[in-house]
Amino acid sequence: MTSTTKRTEKADVAPLLIHPIGGGDLGYPPMATSPAPIDFHGTPDDRRPLRKIFDGIAETGTDMSGLLIVATTNIHAPSGQPFVEHAQVMKELLCSAKGLCGRRFPEAQVHIVQVDEPTARHSLEALKPVLAALMPGECLLTSGSGSYALGAGVVLAGIETGVPITMLPVDEPSAAYRLRDLIDPHDTLRNWLLRHRFWDELAAVDPPNAALWRLLAARQRADISLAETTTPFAGLNQGRLNKLTELWPTVQAAFFERLARGEAIDHSLLRAWFTQRISKPSRKEAATVPVSAQRALEDLARDLSDPEKRGGATLIKETRRRLSPVPQARHAALVGDTEFIDFFERSASHEAHLAPPGARRLPGSLLANADQWEKGDLVPGLVEQCGMTTWPVLGTGDVLVLMCVGMVPTNDPNDKGGHAAVRQVIDWASRRRGALARPGRIRLRLLASHETMERARSWVTLARSTAPAGSLDAAVLGPFSTEPGDAADINTALLAELAKASPTGMYGSTSLRDVDEVLLVINSGKPVTVNGMVAAGVQWSLNAACPLRVAELGRDRALRTVVNEAGLTLCRLGLDARLARLASSAVRRLDTRTAWQLLANGSPALAAARDAAARLHHDLYSHAKPAASMNTRCEVACRRLELIAHVLADEPWPASYTAVEVLRPGLFDWDMWKALRERSAPLRRLNAYRNETPYAHLLDRLREERTEQADHRGKRPPSKRPPAQQVVLEELRGCVDALQQLRPQRDRQREPDRLLVTRYTRLCEQLEELGEDAR
């Protein structure tokens, strides 16, 4: 049980029975389409679903606090009447003297919930207020009759309201189970920290390897000082340790490990990395580039190294025109890639900090450079020595789609509906794949029973002919049992199938553990198989440390097959706590955009925290209104600097870089910022410290120092180590004092303005509570 799903079970209170009605309650055979007389009662040899459930409950001696019937208001063949009208008749019978199916209830104990359409989405929205009002300690949900989508909506409503839902198979009530009990979220937090390369937090949860994780955390900050003072230890010999003391490889690692996050530092790292990359190619690359072309690249690097110059993308475009044709070496190809130039231009603008997190497909030339770097990276080998396997640094681009296969409907012998469903699922998966950092494959896995293996194979054939070449990996899994009590066995067997291929930790992995998203398609196949698949899907997303999405197959009003997203409620069964834990770690580094993005992958239970993270992000980076006075600008600036001093006091490079980034040009445009620096020594020194970080111009300064030493006489040489913590902290305090002096006497504050610190602390507490049960 996670903190986002606190249960409200009441001691000694009988459970509420929930029953979505369907054709079986009327006496119709499965998938019937022809009109027939309605028979709610049945016979001993033809028992209705409620009769089976009542008999099973009676055998166990379980009492019920009441019955809640879920029924749709739309007309559905073969009845010709809305199911809600049949539900009303059933309620009258159940409350009559004779009762129905061997049981009678007081009228106050029978409830009917009307659902507009037979979908999980509509059922969820209809059930949530009812469960919240009734507040049952537990619910028993009949499974195996009626619409699966209605039952799925009940399960989702139970998750959102914190009401435990027990699945009660109609044909075997004694085999009751809960989805939650099929999922084990424990011991998966380490997966999430490792996949997202949250090295500092790994040090806290994995003490035996803490020394290694701290070194990798410093590397991600582009700080080599810890490696320089470390001695070799088991798993890290002197050769590997020496690699961690090299600045350029360290900056490359910081860039690629943070690239997909999109923080302000990451945007600046893009410029720093690109400038160094084009100016210092490998010998093999340099040999393939004409001297004139390499000179043009070096000129571009020199222009980009000037902190006073704007318009980096324009400079790249001008260089591209000079290079005709553009050399194919990986470093030079960046300049010829229009997607990369567009990406660079978007990233370079301050507005990029304010854009909401979303699809961030990376340019092909950048991915090629990432793949080249990853092949020689130390991390996969170091992590393997710790008994673990890392994930590809930028993911695989793959999405795993799990979908059950049911029987061919008798009224659709050519399976046109099934074919339409496959096409819709492929289309949905393609859209999800398009939102990932890199192009990958759809990994479609169809779950079949003995009776549906042939249909499943035909779906695979169709899928392969539908998807673009190289974009699909499809296979049939099974046969799986369809016995009502076998959900746990199906779950276990499916997890074993998914784990067959061993992960490699590098791009090109074919392991399903390395997928970037898990997609579940419900409402097709036997309920027990679908439930086992849902539990396995949740578990696999925990194991793979990746987002989980659910969609249901349905029909629109024109009776065309459609795929509708069913929301992120299932994330409460484990993912929410891990997402909150990661977001908490990100916020404590002021990686506010990362926290915002992580929380957006969670259920509605994380919505308030996600909004608070977004507000904090905007508190840091938003623009001042054009008409804002200098007094207002300085007030906001002081709040931002107080927050940075509070959070990043022990991280001098991130502190100095972030401090300048939140001041200009959002609060002070470039001309204002230049004037402020000329007027204030603390602001001038802070700006200098910012420019000497690895995220800004440290590599540029070191490169210039080697080639133009004569021009730097009398200047303080750049340091590969960050300044002392106290030095930057004092500069931050000095900047606050200087900005206060620019305000009218009556508005100057003698005490620190800790408004943002308070909001930050409140968000940290909120995330701590949401993630408290992550293990």
Side-chain angles (χ1 to χ4, degrees), residues 56 86 94 102 134 169 288 309 346 447 516 678:
H86 301 305
L94 284 163
L134 293 176
T288 66
K309 276 198 174 183
R346 291 194 304 271
L447 283 65
D516 291 345
E678 292 173 350

Side-chain angles (χ1 to χ4, degrees), residues 722-740:
Q725 298 174 11
Q726 190 59 34
V727 169
V728 173
L729 192 58
E730 288 176 1
E731 296 297 356
L732 290 172
R733 298 299 183 202
C735 290
V736 170
D737 292 341
L739 291 167
Q740 286 291 347

Side-chain angles (χ1 to χ4, degrees), residues 51-64:
R51 169 73 73 172
K52 297 175 183 179
I53 290 296
F54 291 156
D55 289 350
I57 288 176
E59 289 177 6
T60 62
T62 302
D63 197 6
M64 291 174 288

